[in-house]
Amino acid sequence: MAGRHSIPTDPIDDSFFEAMPQDDYEGEYQTVAVQNPPVYRKKPSIFSRIIGFIGELLITAGLLLGLFVVWQLWWTDIGANRAQAETIQEQTQDWEQPQKIGEPRYDDPPAFEHTDVEGAFLGVMRIPRFGKDYAYSIEEGTGLATVLDTGAFGHYPDTAFPGEIGNFATAAHRQTYGAPMRDVGNLQEGDSIIVQTKDAYLVYKMTDSYIVSPSESDVVLPVPRQPGEEPTERILTITTCHPPFVSNQRWIVHATFDHWIDPSDGIPEEIAE
């Protein structure tokens, strides 16, 4: 016997559902489901806008700085080395360069014709410690745009010329623009440093290297670091920046003349294949 709160056991007739306004109901339900409450966003303050603007500027500056570093460290080397190869090829194509080892000579080397023209070609610097094919031009003057930034060694004006008694003083980059003295730290006492001119291979032997401040210009005196001293030796000096990427000091290399080889007789053994 079922009480008044009993659950009906008869199934609900399908007509119950058919009688419901299905389309209207579903439509009303769907409309309610896709409705979203309006979102009100707080307008950024002037301070936030300024911070955002500064952030964008910093990102842009960082990208530009990165491109500049790539240009300085990579592209300038490519450009300078390409220019060096062309310069040496053009300037030495008529020089005698027999591919045999020449006989060292210990008499006075041929006199060198002086010039004071900025960028004038003087010869080729060869440092076998850096590779048998290592070769960079030596040019008159030490101007950045006219000489050093082309990858060349620059000759300090008012110092001796190649092979002369006194101090044949030069400068070269250690980083960027070909970086001809990048491996200066690998040089050892007794290493050959060869200056090739039209008339001679001048072979110097490294004697010393040290680090000074940029103001210590006495390293290019006729007798390095000895003002007023009369020179009696043929000296070669190379100055380059130190340390890399800071360059607030100078690395100095000295070498003394050992012998020379007549190009018509051959080439130094150190650069022979």
Side-chain angles (χ1 to χ4, degrees):
M1 177 176 179
R4 66 178 181 177
H5 295 297
S6 62
I7 298 173
T9 56
D10 295 332
I12 298 176
D13 193 284
D14 289 342
S15 61
F16 173 80
F17 294 104
E18 293 174 358
M20 292 181 64
Q22 294 288 334
D23 292 338
D24 291 342
Y25 175 78
E26 291 176 359
E28 181 180 342
Y29 176 80
Q30 292 172 356
T31 301
V32 172
V34 297
Q35 286 183 346
N36 293 316
V39 177
Y40 298 98
R41 296 183 179 177
K42 186 178 179 180
K43 191 174 182 179
S45 66
I46 293 179
F47 179 74
S48 297
R49 293 180 184 179
I50 293 174
I51 293 299
F53 178 70
I54 292 174
E56 291 178 0
L57 286 180
L58 290 175
I59 291 172
T60 302
L63 290 173
L64 292 176
L65 181 61
L67 291 173
F68 176 75
V69 170
V70 170
W71 175 77
Q72 275 281 90
L73 300 182
W74 180 64
W75 184 250
T76 61
D77 278 356
I78 292 176
N81 285 325
R82 182 183 298 134
Q84 280 296 300
E86 293 173 355
T87 296
I88 293 173
Q89 171 63 29
E90 178 183 346
Q91 294 290 338
T92 65
Q93 59 184 347
D94 296 329
W95 291 8
E96 290 187 271
Q97 300 182 68
Q99 294 304 303
K100 64 175 183 176
I101 297 174
E103 190 69 27
R105 294 181 55 166
Y106 297 92
D107 55 335
D108 291 341
F112 192 90
E113 184 177 348
H114 290 201
T115 180
D116 59 1
V117 177
E118 182 88 2
F121 184 82
L122 304 183
V124 180
M125 186 74 77
R126 298 183 180 275
I127 305 179
R129 172 67 66 181
F130 300 160
K132 289 182 179 294
D133 59 347
Y134 176 97
Y136 285 86
S137 68
I138 307 170
E139 300 178 12
E140 180 61 25
T142 56
L144 288 176
T146 53
V147 178
L148 299 182
D149 286 356
T150 68
F153 283 76
H155 171 233
Y156 283 97
D158 302 322
T159 68
F161 279 82
E164 293 182 344
I165 292 176
N167 189 359
F168 173 48
T170 65
H173 281 304
R174 189 179 178 189
Q175 62 190 40
T176 71
Y177 297 100
M181 290 301 290
R182 176 183 285 117
D183 298 323
V184 62
N186 295 339
L187 281 173
Q188 300 176 14
E189 185 176 341
D191 280 350
S192 294
I193 300 177
I194 302 168
V195 175
Q196 179 188 3
T197 69
K198 182 178 180 180
D199 300 318
Y201 286 97
L202 305 166
V203 181
Y204 296 79
K205 297 291 185 177
M206 179 182 160
T207 57
D208 197 11
S209 71
Y210 50 87
I211 295 167
V212 300
S213 68
S215 62
E216 295 181 70
S217 58
D218 58 357
V219 298
V220 301
L221 290 175
V223 180
R225 318 212 77 174
Q226 297 184 35
E229 191 76 17
E230 192 69 24
T232 58
E233 295 182 301
R234 296 175 170 88
I235 299 171
L236 165 67
T237 294
I238 300 173
T239 70
T240 192
C241 293
H242 177 78
F245 309 108
V246 179
S247 302
N248 61 346
Q249 296 175 304
R250 298 294 179 266
W251 190 311
I252 310 302
V253 173
H254 293 306
T256 56
F257 179 76
D258 187 76
H259 64 272
W260 70 282
I261 293 174
D262 189 331
S264 63
D265 184 49
I267 63 176
E269 181 178 6
E270 295 93 329
I271 61 175
E273 293 296 338

